[in-house]
């Protein structure tokens, strides 16, 4: 081998760099262990300990040293499924951006197009493109995007803006740029919010041109708080309010009007004993008028308010009351000067009801609106905000306004003082407080927001006010929450499967190849060092599917060695010396061409998986791609160094053991002769599979494909899934599925409740309903402990995920394109490499057979298997991996067919193909056996969450080995023309 010294130099250099990079991970883990031991089971104490030593030196290399913060930033990043934490994908509302750019245009064509774009969800098509299509269809050329009442408004005119003369195509370019700028602005605002939140190693990135932003917060635990922080638009507004005496007559009139339609539907409740009740009392009326249940509005009131508070209501009644106030026949009852009143709610608070019992309620306010529905002052004037405490020692937020805001604030507070009125401080349409002004106008622009805050809320509020408001609402369309205890279980399962897989591969290589097997194992060990070193060096994230990718790399890493060793054995049997056999096996016409062809197809499928995958699937694809590169380097170059040293020392090397010496050496099975039987068998399998998929069982589509929410819930004792499913279905008012997940005290709960509605409030409502329905199983567990994550958590929600309807369409579309794209790319590559379309057709026929086979198994078995067999992103990753390995096997056989055709092999074309299969059988079965051993290890020890994913690959590898032998090559034989076969046979037989 030439340049052996250079290869040794680079190998040593890479090893040292990898050890250096991984050393930070070891040091960081040791420090965390010390912190955990110091804190016991107190996560807050542990966090404070780590914060206190952040700037202390914890790692000394002699020539330089590092603080804990520096070590922490250089460690190997763990994904949420290993570290625990929260992962969300936020969808910036392009609809809001467009409405803002059009100055909330009232143009009917514009607004209809916005609505049509929202209604027509299509995978992989952005909202903006759908809007442009809808506008073109609705306008029919009669209205232009550059109309003065749409985008050619004053705010968009000027350089780089929109003028009246522009065509729709020109306006579209400007709007696309403006939308991109808005998404970039949202990205920066979210980045600032997250940076100030204090999460270790946060990850935030824009996802192409979709208007979506991915946010990963490892170690984060407070689910509801973080969702509010991310999804809150931070639209701070200051409104003047009506007082209760000013709208009391309207409330009475509304209650009377509602009796006509609602009185029979109202539940019997105690009427609030207050002044409004007195307004209802009229001795001239029938006493039935004041009976319990006869007052649709007031019966819902728990307690009357005072000042700006119109009353206290249960949170569950707010939707109904909002509906009342939106009715035209109710709004018309408002006085003329109150016609634009805006009714809003406060955040929940605890009050005492008529029976002096503590209940949770929200306050109702009436804000002084106007024709344009804009507040007296917006929060854009705030230049600085800090969390502080008010005079009573309660958490508050102090604000400083700019000069313009200070002037307006002085006028606003002066008017409130003189009229004895109130100013509501509204954040994202929720009233946080509505103080009166008792000391005259407030000058200087400094003010304070008080209310029923806790310390964390004031910190978050100050954070979002300083970071700025989002240019549009940010809805959480996909989220995953993983508890730290579940992450540790995943690490343990992944570690066990990795170690066992590694040991089994090593044992088999030594058993089958003897001394050469030891060389392959040393290369494999170095391969793992390089792989982890590269991931640590470039800041890649290690996930649970990524661990699966690493374990699979163990199986594929020895594949190149197997191809080389099998070729070397053939050369030795042909009478060549050891050095000649090694030289020939490492040559292009020996094993290298087969290795390159097989791994290129594998890289292509991995690249497509990386492009179309999201989240953990990208981690799996990335690990697989890195593993392919590092395994090729170590298998080809590192193992060769040991072999050449063996040759130089004139030591014996046979690439086999006494037991395996003659395995598969005289195997002469006629694979082509049995093709009729294999065709019939495979046809039956394909027909049964397709029938089950399309007409009988279908496929168990997970939330990735259809949208929905899933919760992994751990109970204190074994539970009946059917009973829980019925209870949750009744609570949610829609079917809820509950399945045993692993142990019989753990369920996977899936619901599509309000999945088409986005917003933090909806997510919290679902969490509250889940807790309320299951609370009887958790008598001593609060809502926070049931929903939120914390170290040592053993019961409650261990993992939760949500996939919105729009993003599920994209995932499904991406999955289809990923599978079809992989097959198309491989078809083209093989046609170029082999220069005959028949090779590509044979390979694709085998792959299509494998995919249908695996889908059929999942369709036929998902209803009764003891583990989950859902169609989701993990399943698609498994299918693409199967495609790669199936190609691997097929290409090895095809390479030998090509070699024999170019050579002087005698016999018919079928004889040549049979000889190609038989002479590569040892390599095919060896590699497949390696993969099956590794996959079985992962299936047994890898954990419940990836069992269905591994099962798909296990079935795929088995059927892929079958198809490469019994489908791909027979199709090749049947599609080669008779004339071409005769030409090949004449050439060989003459020779």
């Amino acid at each position: 081998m030439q340049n052996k010294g250079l290869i040794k130099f680079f190998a040593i250099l890479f090893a040292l760099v990898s050890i250096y990079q991984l050393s930070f991970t070891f040091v960081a883990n040791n420090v965390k262990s010390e912190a955990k031991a110091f804190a016991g089971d107190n996560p807050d104490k542990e966090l404070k300990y780590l914060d206190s030593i952040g700037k202390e030196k914890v790692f000394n290399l002699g020539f330089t040293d590092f603080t804990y913060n520096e070590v922490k930033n250089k460690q190997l990043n763990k994904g949420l499924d290993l570290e625990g934490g929260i992962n969300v994908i936020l969808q910036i509302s392009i609809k809001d951006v467009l409405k803002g750019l059009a100055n909330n245009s009232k143009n009917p064509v514009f607004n209809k197009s916005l609505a049509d774009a929202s209604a027509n969800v299509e995978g992989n098509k952005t909202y903006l493109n759908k809007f442009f299509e809808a506008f073109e269809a609705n306008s029919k050329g009669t209205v232009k995007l550059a109309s003065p009442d749409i985008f050619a408004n004053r705010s968009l005119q000027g350089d780089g803006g929109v003028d009246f003369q522009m065509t729709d195509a020109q306006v579209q370019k400007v709007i696309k740029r403006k939308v991109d700028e808005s998404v970039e602005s949202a990205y920066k605002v979210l980045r600032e919010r997250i940076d100030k939140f204090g999460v270790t190693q946060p990850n935030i990135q824009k996802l192409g041109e979709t208007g979506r932003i991915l946010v990963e917060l490892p170690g984060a635990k407070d689910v509801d708080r973080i969702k509010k922080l991310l999804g809150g638009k931070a639209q701070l507004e200051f409104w003047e309010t009506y007082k209760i005496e000013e709208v009391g007559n309207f409330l009475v009139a509304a209650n009377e009007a509602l009796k006509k339609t609602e009185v029979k539907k109202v539940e019997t409740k105690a009427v609030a004993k207050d002044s409004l009740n007195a307004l209802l009392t009229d001795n001239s009326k029938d006493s039935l008028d004041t009976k319990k249940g006869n007052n649709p509005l007031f019966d819902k009131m728990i307690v009357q308010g005072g000042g700006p508070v119109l009353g206290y209501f249960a949170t569950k009644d707010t939707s109904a009351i909002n509906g009342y106030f939106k009715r035209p026949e109710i709004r018309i009852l408002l006085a003329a000067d109150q016609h634009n009143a805006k009714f809003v709610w406060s955040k929940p608070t605890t009050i005492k009801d008529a029976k002096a019992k503590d209940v949770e309620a929200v306050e109702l306010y009436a804000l002084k609106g106007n024709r344009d529905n804009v507040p007296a002052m917006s929060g854009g004037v705030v230049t600085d905000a800090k969390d502080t405490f008010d005079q009573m020692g309660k958490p508050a937020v102090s604000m400083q306004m700019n000069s313009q805001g200070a002037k307006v604030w002085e006028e606003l507070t002066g008017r409130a003082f003189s009229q004895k009125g109130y100013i509501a401080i509204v954040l994202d349409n929720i009233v946080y407080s509505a103080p009166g002004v008792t000391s005259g106008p407030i000058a200087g622009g400094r003010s304070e927001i008080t209310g029923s805050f806790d310390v964390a809320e004031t910190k978050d509020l100050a954070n979002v006010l300083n970071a700025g408001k989002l240019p549009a609402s940010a809805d959480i369309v996909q989220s995953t929450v993983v508890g730290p205890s579940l992450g540790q279980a995943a690490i343990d399962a992944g570690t066990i499967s990795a170690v066992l897989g590694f040991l089994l591969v090593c044992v088999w290589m030594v058993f089958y190849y003897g001394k050469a097997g030891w060389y392959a194992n040393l290369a494999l060990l170095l391969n793992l060092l390089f792989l982890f070193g590269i991931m640590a060096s470039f800041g890649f994230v290690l996930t649970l599917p990524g661990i699966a990718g690493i374990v699979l790399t163990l199986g594929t890493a020895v594949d190149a060695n197997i191809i080389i060793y099998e070729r070397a054995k053939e050369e030795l049997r042909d009478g060549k010396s050891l050095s000649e056999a090694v030289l020939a096996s490492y040559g292009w016409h020996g094993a290298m061409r087969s290795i390159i062809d097989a791994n290129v197809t594998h890289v292509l499928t991995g690249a497509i998986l990386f492009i179309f995958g999201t989240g953990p699937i990208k981690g799996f694809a990335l690990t697989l791609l890195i593993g392919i590169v590092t395994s090729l380097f170590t298998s080809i170059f590192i193992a060769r160094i040991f072999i050449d040293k063996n040759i130089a020392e004139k030591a014996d090397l046979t690439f086999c053991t006494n037991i395996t010496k003659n395995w598969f050496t005289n195997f002469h099975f006629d694979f082509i002769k049995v093709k009729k039987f294999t065709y019939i068998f495979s046809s039956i399998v394909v027909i049964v599979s397709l029938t089950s998929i399309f007409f009988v069982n279908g496929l168990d589509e997970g939330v990735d494909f259809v949208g929905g929410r899933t919760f992994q819930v751990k109970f204190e004792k074994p539970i009946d899934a059917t009973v829980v499913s019925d209870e949750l279905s009744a609570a949610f008012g829609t079917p809820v599925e509950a399945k045993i997940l692993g142990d019989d005290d753990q369920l996977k709960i899936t619901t599509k409740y309000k999945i088409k509605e986005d917003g933090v409030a909806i997510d919290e409502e679902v969490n509250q309903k889940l807790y309320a329905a299951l609370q009887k199983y958790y008598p001593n567990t609060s809502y926070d402990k049931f929903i939120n994550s914390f170290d040592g958590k053993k019961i409650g929600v261990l993992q939760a995920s949500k996939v919105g309807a729009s993003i599920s369409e994209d995932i499904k579309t991406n999955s289809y394109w990923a599978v079809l794209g992989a097959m198309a790319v491989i078809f083209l590559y093989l046609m170029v490499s082999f220069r005959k379309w028949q090779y590509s057709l044979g390979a694709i026929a085998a792959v299509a057979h494998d995919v249908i086979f695996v889908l059929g198994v999942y369709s036929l078995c998902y209803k009764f298997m003891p583990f989950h067999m859902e169609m989701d992103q993990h399943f698609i990753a498994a299918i693409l991996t199967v495609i790669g390995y199936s190609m691997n096997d097929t290409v090895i056989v095809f390479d030998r067919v090509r070699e024999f055709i170019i050579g002087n092999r005698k016999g018919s074309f079928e004889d040549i193909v049979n000889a190609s299969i038989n002479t590569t059988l040892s390599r095919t079965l060896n590699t497949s056996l390696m993969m099956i051993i590794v996959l079985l290890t992962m299936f047994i020890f890898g954990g419940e969450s990836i069992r269905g994913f591994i099962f798909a690959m296990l079935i795929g590898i088995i059927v892929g080995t079958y198809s490469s032998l019994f489908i791909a090559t027979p199709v090749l034989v049947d599609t080669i023309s008779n004339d071409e076969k005769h030409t090949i046979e004449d050439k060989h037989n003459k020779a």
Side-chain angles (χ1 to χ4, degrees):
M1 181 174 62
Q2 296 179 343
N3 301 318
K4 189 185 302 182
L6 188 63
I7 291 170
K8 285 183 179 179
F9 170 76
F10 277 115
I12 294 170
L13 180 64
F14 289 159
L16 291 175
V17 169
S18 297
I19 292 170
Y20 169 77
Q21 290 292 344
L22 291 172
S23 63
F24 294 102
T25 303
F26 292 120
V27 173
N29 287 339
N30 286 335
V31 173
K32 288 178 185 177
S33 297
E34 291 172 3
K36 194 174 288 291
F38 171 79
D41 292 328
N42 189 332
D44 292 332
K45 191 175 180 181
E46 180 184 341
L47 187 60
K48 287 179 182 178
Y49 175 85
L50 293 174
D51 286 341
S52 67
I53 64 167
K55 296 181 180 180
E56 291 184 14
K57 306 291 185 183
V58 296
F59 189 26
N60 190 333
L61 290 174
F63 58 90
T64 186
D65 47 28
F66 300 90
T67 65
Y68 173 67
N69 286 339
E70 290 171 332
V71 167
K72 181 176 63 177
N73 291 331
K74 289 177 177 290
Q75 69 177 332
L76 180 63
N77 297 328
K78 287 185 288 190
L80 300 186
D81 48 3
L82 299 179
E83 180 79 7
I86 298 173
N87 168 305
V88 300
I89 293 180
L90 295 159
Q91 175 71 67
I92 303 301
S93 176
I94 306 303
K95 181 179 181 179
D96 284 358
V97 175
L98 292 175
K99 289 170 74 174
L101 292 173
N103 277 345
N104 292 308
S105 171
K106 301 295 190 293
N107 184 288
V109 173
F110 172 77
N111 285 291
K112 186 176 187 307
S113 301
L114 290 176
D116 290 348
S118 299
N120 302 323
V121 178
E122 293 180 31
N124 273 355
K125 185 166 283 190
T126 65
Y127 179 90
L128 187 58
N129 287 332
K130 287 187 286 185
F131 165 75
F132 289 146
E133 290 176 4
F135 188 88
E136 184 179 350
N138 292 326
S139 68
K140 296 183 174 63
T142 59
V143 181
K144 293 177 61 180
L145 289 171
S147 299
D149 62 339
I150 304 181
F151 291 125
N153 54 63
R154 187 175 300 172
S155 62
L156 273 181
Q157 289 178 3
D159 292 340
V162 177
D163 62 51
F164 309 122
Q165 308 302 321
M166 282 184 167
T167 64
D168 281 358
Q170 291 172 319
V171 176
Q172 287 179 12
K173 291 181 181 178
V174 176
I175 299 305
K176 284 181 179 178
R177 188 181 74 250
K178 293 291 184 182
V179 168
D180 288 342
E181 289 172 0
S182 295
V183 175
E184 180 65 27
S185 173
Y187 170 80
K188 290 178 180 177
V189 169
L190 288 168
R191 166 63 71 186
E192 287 190 46
R193 291 186 187 181
I194 291 164
D195 286 345
K196 293 176 182 178
F197 189 72
V199 177
T200 304
Q201 295 177 309
N203 174 35
I204 174 170
Q205 54 184 284
K206 291 184 293 183
L207 301 179
E209 298 179 354
T210 61
R212 292 175 185 149
I213 297 174
L214 168 69
V215 179
E216 290 183 322
L217 304 176
K221 298 177 176 65
D222 194 333
V223 178
D224 291 337
R225 178 187 172 194
I226 288 170
K227 286 186 175 181
K228 288 177 183 175
L229 176 74
L230 296 176
K233 192 176 177 181
Q235 185 170 320
L236 180 65
E237 298 170 335
F238 301 89
W239 294 78
E240 294 178 278
T241 73
Y242 291 107
K243 289 176 281 190
I244 188 169
E245 55 266 27
E246 293 175 316
V247 293
N249 288 334
F250 161 72
L251 295 176
V252 173
N255 183 71
E256 290 297 316
L258 288 167
K259 287 181 180 180
K260 298 176 183 178
T261 58
E262 302 296 316
V263 71
K264 293 181 180 180
K265 302 176 185 178
V266 175
E267 297 176 7
T268 300
K269 290 186 179 178
V271 180
K273 296 178 180 179
D274 47 42
S275 58
L276 282 177
N277 189 38
L279 290 173
L280 285 169
T281 305
D282 186 342
N283 293 330
S284 65
K285 290 185 179 182
D286 191 290
S287 60
L288 288 175
D289 287 346
T290 56
K291 267 189 176 183
K292 295 176 182 179
N294 279 7
N295 298 291
L297 181 60
F298 296 131
D299 284 341
K300 288 182 169 61
M301 188 182 292
I302 301 172
V303 175
Q304 183 197 323
V309 181
L310 306 185
Y312 292 83
F313 296 82
T315 306
K316 66 181 179 64
D317 291 329
T318 57
S319 178
I321 294 170
N322 287 340
Y324 294 162
F325 290 155
K326 287 178 182 177
R327 293 184 184 180
E329 71 271 21
I330 301 299
R331 288 203 68 87
I332 202 171
L333 300 174
L334 285 160
D337 61 340
Q338 298 174 357
H339 190 66
N340 293 311
K342 181 179 180 181
F343 294 94
V344 295
W345 303 95
S346 73
K347 56 175 294 191
T349 185
T350 301
I351 64 167
K352 292 189 180 296
D353 62 10
K355 297 179 180 178
K357 182 181 177 182
D358 286 340
V359 293
E360 186 177 81
V362 288
E363 302 161 350
L364 177 63
Y365 292 84
L367 308 182
K368 291 184 178 180
N370 50 47
R371 184 180 300 174
D372 296 324
N373 197 31
V374 294
M377 190 172 79
S378 74
V381 300
V382 175
T383 58
D384 184 43
K386 294 179 181 177
D387 57 293
T388 182
F389 295 90
D390 62 15
Q391 294 178 346
M392 304 297 292
K394 295 181 178 180
V397 176
S398 65
M399 300 179 299
Q400 178 63 52
M401 303 172 187
N402 59 25
S403 57
Q404 180 185 358
K407 183 179 179 181
V408 176
W409 184 241
E410 187 172 358
E411 294 174 359
L412 191 60
T413 53
R415 189 160 59 246
F417 172 72
S418 62
Q419 297 176 0
K420 299 189 184 310
Y422 300 86
I423 300 172
I425 299 170
V426 184
L427 181 70
D428 292 340
N429 218 35
I430 295 175
V431 177
Y432 274 73
S433 62
V437 180
T438 58
S439 57
I442 301 174
R446 180 164 289 281
S447 187
E448 192 173 68
I449 304 176
T450 59
S452 54
F453 294 107
D454 59 32
V455 174
E457 286 175 321
T458 56
K459 286 182 180 295
D460 291 345
L461 180 53
N463 179 359
V464 296
L465 289 176
N466 284 321
K469 73 172 186 177
L470 292 171
S473 60
D475 295 323
I476 297 175
V477 293
Q478 183 175 351
S479 66
T480 303
V481 180
V482 182
S485 56
L486 199 63
Q488 187 58 50
I491 293 174
D492 295 341
T495 302
I496 291 171
S497 63
V499 171
L500 278 176
F502 178 79
L503 291 175
L504 288 171
V505 168
C506 290
V507 168
W508 179 259
M509 290 299 290
V510 172
F511 168 76
Y512 199 89
Y513 293 107
K515 188 190 295 185
W518 283 111
Y519 299 156
N521 291 340
L522 290 172
L524 179 61
L525 195 60
L526 197 60
N527 169 54
L528 289 177
L529 176 63
F530 289 166
L531 197 157
F532 280 110
I534 290 172
M535 294 188 71
S537 299
F538 290 95
F540 297 143
V541 178
L542 181 64
T543 63
L544 185 58
I547 290 179
I550 291 171
V551 178
L552 285 174
T553 300
L554 301 178
T556 56
V558 295
D559 183 52
N561 287 119
I562 290 173
I563 296 173
I564 293 168
Y565 291 176
E566 291 299 324
R567 187 61 184 234
K569 285 198 292 186
E570 291 177 11
E571 300 294 340
L572 288 172
R573 282 194 290 267
D574 286 341
K576 291 182 179 177
S577 66
L578 178 60
S579 59
E580 291 171 336
V582 169
L583 193 62
S585 63
Y586 275 93
W588 177 253
H589 294 292
M592 286 306 106
R593 189 169 190 171
S594 299
I595 291 172
I596 297 302
D597 278 336
N599 281 279
V600 165
T601 58
H602 211 172
V603 167
L604 289 173
T605 54
I608 288 171
L609 186 58
F610 183 79
I611 292 168
F612 287 99
T614 58
I617 302 306
K618 275 189 182 291
F620 171 75
L622 184 65
T623 307
L624 206 58
L625 289 170
I626 296 172
I628 291 170
V629 175
T630 56
S631 64
L632 283 175
F633 175 77
T634 55
S635 299
I636 295 172
F637 296 109
I638 302 302
R640 176 76 182 273
I641 291 174
F642 293 111
I643 291 172
D644 284 350
K645 184 175 181 295
N646 202 100
I647 293 172
E649 294 173 351
K650 300 187 184 303
D652 184 38
L653 188 64
T654 58
F655 300 99
C656 61
T657 63
N658 291 331
I659 299 173
T660 61
K661 180 168 58 176
N662 296 317
W663 286 15
F664 303 107
T665 54
N666 296 306
F667 204 77
H668 300 293
F669 184 77
D670 194 340
F671 288 90
I672 306 302
K673 185 177 180 180
V674 299
K675 67 180 181 180
K676 288 183 180 179
F677 300 103
T678 57
Y679 279 169
I680 292 171
F681 170 75
S682 292
S683 297
I684 292 172
V685 168
V686 168
I687 291 169
V688 170
S689 296
L690 293 176
T691 301
S692 178
I693 293 167
F694 292 107
F695 303 108
V696 183
N697 289 336
L699 290 162
D700 185 16
E701 291 187 305
V703 295
D704 284 355
F705 282 9
V706 296
R709 291 177 172 86
T710 62
F711 300 88
Q712 183 174 335
V713 182
K714 187 83 169 177
F715 292 80
E716 293 180 339
K717 55 186 179 181
I719 198 78
D720 188 329
T722 305
V723 171
V724 172
S725 178
D726 292 341
E727 291 172 347
L728 290 173
S729 297
F732 281 92
T734 186
V736 177
E737 182 182 69
K739 294 181 179 178
I740 295 291
L741 182 66
D743 299 329
D744 54 6
D745 61 350
Q746 185 169 253
L747 296 181
K748 182 177 183 181
I749 296 169
T750 305
T751 175
K752 295 179 184 176
Y753 178 76
K754 289 190 177 181
I755 195 59
K756 292 186 178 180
E757 299 179 38
D758 293 315
V760 175
I762 299 295
D763 293 341
E764 190 168 350
E765 178 189 344
V766 173
N767 289 345
Q768 291 281 5
K769 280 183 173 290
L770 181 69
Y771 173 68
L774 298 180
Q775 191 173 9
K776 68 179 183 180
Y777 299 106
Y778 301 90
N780 302 314
T781 304
S782 65
Y783 168 80
D784 286 339
K785 288 188 175 181
F786 177 77
I787 290 293
N788 292 321
S789 301
F790 54 88
D791 289 327
K793 182 174 184 178
K794 295 181 179 179
I795 61 171
V797 177
L798 302 183
Q799 182 173 1
S801 65
K802 165 194 169 183
V803 180
S806 60
I807 203 167
S808 67
E809 283 291 324
D810 289 355
I811 292 172
K812 185 184 290 187
T813 303
N814 283 344
S815 299
Y816 293 152
W817 281 115
V819 174
L820 294 175
M823 295 174 73
V825 167
I826 289 172
F827 182 91
L828 292 173
Y829 173 75
L830 292 180
M831 192 162 64
V832 171
S833 179
F834 288 88
R835 295 181 176 83
K836 285 187 181 296
W837 61 267
Q838 289 90 343
Y839 287 94
S840 296
L841 182 62
I844 293 302
V847 165
H849 167 273
D850 300 343
V851 171
I852 294 172
F853 195 109
V854 175
L855 288 171
V857 169
Y858 268 61
S859 177
L860 291 165
C861 301
Y862 77 85
K863 291 184 177 180
F864 58 84
M865 277 291 190
F867 53 88
H868 293 282
M869 302 177 72
E870 291 181 347
M871 283 278 291
D872 55 15
Q873 291 186 84
H874 292 81
F875 180 81
I876 297 302
I879 290 293
L880 287 172
T881 308
V882 166
I883 290 174
Y885 286 115
S886 181
M887 286 295 96
N888 222 331
D889 283 342
T890 302
V891 165
I892 295 298
V893 177
F894 282 179
D895 267 320
R896 183 56 61 91
V897 172
R898 177 173 54 187
E899 178 189 339
F900 280 0
I901 289 175
I902 295 173
N904 297 317
R905 190 90 185 187
K906 293 186 181 295
S908 66
F909 184 76
E910 285 79 1
D911 292 337
I912 294 172
V913 172
N914 264 321
S916 302
I917 300 173
N918 282 290
T919 54
T920 57
L921 197 59
S922 179
R923 178 267 161 195
T924 300
L925 296 181
N926 246 331
T927 302
S928 297
L929 183 61
M930 289 289 95
M931 292 305 305
I932 290 169
I933 288 173
V934 169
L935 288 169
L936 271 175
T937 304
M938 294 173 66
F939 181 77
I940 297 169
F941 300 103
E944 184 66 33
S945 59
I946 60 170
R947 192 154 286 153
F949 165 64
I950 297 300
F951 184 73
M953 282 196 284
L954 188 59
I955 296 297
I957 295 301
I958 294 171
V959 74
T961 304
Y962 159 82
S963 67
S964 65
L965 300 175
F966 294 101
I967 301 296
T969 43
V971 169
L972 171 66
V973 170
D974 289 342
T975 52
I976 294 284
S977 67
N978 289 328
D979 290 342
E980 191 170 352
K981 289 178 184 177
H982 292 150
T983 301
I984 293 170
E985 290 166 357
D986 290 344
K987 171 192 166 185
H988 282 258
N989 291 326
K990 283 180 182 177

